[in-house]
Amino acid sequence: MKKYFAPSEMIINEDGSCFHLHLKPEFLADRIVMVGDPGRVDTVAAHFDSREMEVSSREFHTITGTYKGKRITCLSHGIGCDNIDIVVNELDTLANIDYVTREEKDEHRTLTMVRIGTCGGLQPYTPIGTFIASVKSIGFDGLLNYYAGRNDVCDLQMEEAFKRHMAWDPIKGAPYVAIADQRLIDQIAGDDMVRGYTISCGGFYGPQGRELRIPLADPNQNEKVESFEYDGMKVCNFEMESSAVAGLASLLGHRAMTCCMVIANRYAQEMNTEYKNTIDTLIEKVLNRI
């Protein structure tokens, strides 16, 4: 018997769209570019040859169109893994649940999702302007721990090595290591992006080791993160979404990865607030390769 998804669990708006994103199934392309800033959707869509639809709801702004013959959906997800939980789950319902019968479809539809973001670089070789492809993402947010099967899509040995290295305090909850789709990494990263590990933080300040008026629980966190090495690779950057993107996509049978441009180098304590003028280069790379 097919699984039925009750109205309280899968909320459909009166116009037949999903609850938060306000998208209908026919709006969704197989190729999806995800960005944090709603305004950046227009930056991406400026490259499109044509547009077929546009919807905005809260921080979720979506445009579907074509780029060099490829149908692409670009949508914004806002900030944080909690928002990714909404976005990836609702995108999957659009692809794999019948909105009339509320039952799972007979054939699984696989989506390809590439998140384009900004980040803080953590190594001397990731100066401002570097493009980083997240091969594996360490989630400080704990999101994937709420889903059955998380052990099947995570690198459990790396999780244990990281916790030992960090002398991890269990009061923070268990970190998880989500693995991006390797074929998609090769497709998008090519030979001009740095490949490494990424930490997805549950906040911008304390969780990323920024101290303002509240002292940090672990003042040495960033130094420990920078020195962590596993399988010959180091943690290259901090951001706030890649672990949830990779982890949820894997659980749902989709292909996903994150690539970011470094706008702050925490190692060198440098920041570029004018990054919006240069991230367009990364956008073009992704559009050409997705």
Side-chain angles (χ1 to χ4, degrees):
M1 181 179 293
K2 292 182 179 179
K3 185 175 181 180
Y4 174 80
F5 302 92
S8 61
E9 309 307 294
M10 190 183 85
I11 305 170
I12 300 176
N13 299 316
E14 290 185 2
D15 65 354
S17 64
C18 57
F19 186 52
H20 295 92
L21 305 184
H22 281 258
L23 297 179
K24 298 179 181 180
E26 61 267 26
F27 293 164
L28 184 66
D30 289 337
R31 296 179 176 93
I32 301 166
V33 173
M34 303 165 67
V35 296
D37 182 357
R40 198 172 298 154
V41 174
D42 287 313
T43 303
V44 175
H47 296 276
F48 288 179
D49 302 313
S50 63
R51 302 186 187 192
E52 63 181 75
M53 58 74 58
E54 180 172 5
V55 173
S56 288
S57 174
R58 304 186 188 186
E59 61 267 59
F60 309 115
H61 178 200
T62 307
I63 296 176
T64 294
T66 57
Y67 175 81
K68 296 183 178 180
K70 297 180 287 190
R71 187 171 185 248
I72 296 173
T73 293
C74 179
L75 82 158
S76 59
H77 51 66
I79 298 174
C81 286
D82 51 343
N83 274 16
I84 299 299
D85 185 60
I86 291 171
V87 170
V88 174
N89 274 294
E90 291 194 6
L91 290 177
D92 180 72
T93 68
L94 293 168
N96 290 303
I97 297 177
D98 189 310
Y99 267 46
V100 176
T101 65
R102 292 182 167 273
E103 294 177 344
E104 192 169 354
K105 294 179 180 178
D106 292 329
E107 294 186 13
H108 181 272
R109 178 183 172 190
T110 301
L111 303 175
T112 297
M113 295 177 272
V114 178
R115 187 182 104 71
I116 301 173
T118 56
C119 67
L122 293 173
Q123 301 296 339
Y125 54 85
T126 58
I128 289 172
T130 303
F131 298 153
I132 298 175
S134 304
V135 175
K136 296 180 183 178
S137 298
I138 305 170
F140 279 10
D141 58 289
L143 176 67
L144 226 62
N145 299 330
Y146 290 86
Y147 289 94
R150 61 82 86 197
N151 286 359
D152 299 329
V153 299
C154 289
D155 187 329
L156 303 184
Q157 291 183 332
M158 182 172 164
E159 287 178 11
E160 293 305 314
F162 183 76
K163 286 189 286 186
R164 285 194 301 270
H165 178 83
M166 297 291 293
W168 188 262
D169 187 344
I171 198 171
K172 296 178 181 177
Y176 61 92
V177 177
I179 306 167
D181 185 276
Q182 185 58 56
R183 289 189 300 117
L184 188 58
I185 287 280
D186 292 339
Q187 177 181 331
I188 300 297
D191 58 4
D192 52 8
M193 294 187 192
V194 173
R195 303 184 191 203
Y197 303 138
T198 293
I199 289 183
S200 296
C201 298
F204 184 77
Y205 291 97
Q208 295 188 30
R210 290 185 173 92
E211 182 173 334
L212 297 181
R213 292 207 320 113
I214 306 173
L216 300 174
D218 183 359
N220 300 315
Q221 170 189 281
N222 285 16
E223 288 78 8
K224 290 187 283 188
V225 166
E226 289 163 9
S227 64
F228 176 70
E229 186 170 338
Y230 186 81
D231 280 350
M233 198 173 286
K234 290 191 171 186
V235 177
C236 290
N237 58 328
F238 276 146
E239 51 86 79
M240 296 178 66
E241 293 90 14
S242 65
S243 61
V245 171
L248 289 175
S250 294
L251 286 173
L252 291 165
H254 302 299
R255 307 170 65 221
M257 58 91 67
T258 292
C259 52
C260 290
M261 184 179 77
V262 175
I263 63 169
N265 187 279
R266 306 297 297 284
Y267 182 87
Q269 296 187 323
E270 296 175 340
M271 175 71 191
N272 173 23
T273 58
E274 301 300 320
Y275 66 87
K276 293 182 180 180
N277 297 326
T278 54
I279 197 170
D280 204 48
T281 303
L282 179 56
I283 290 171
E284 284 193 87
K285 285 182 186 293
V286 171
L287 290 175
N288 284 321
R289 296 172 183 178
I290 192 171

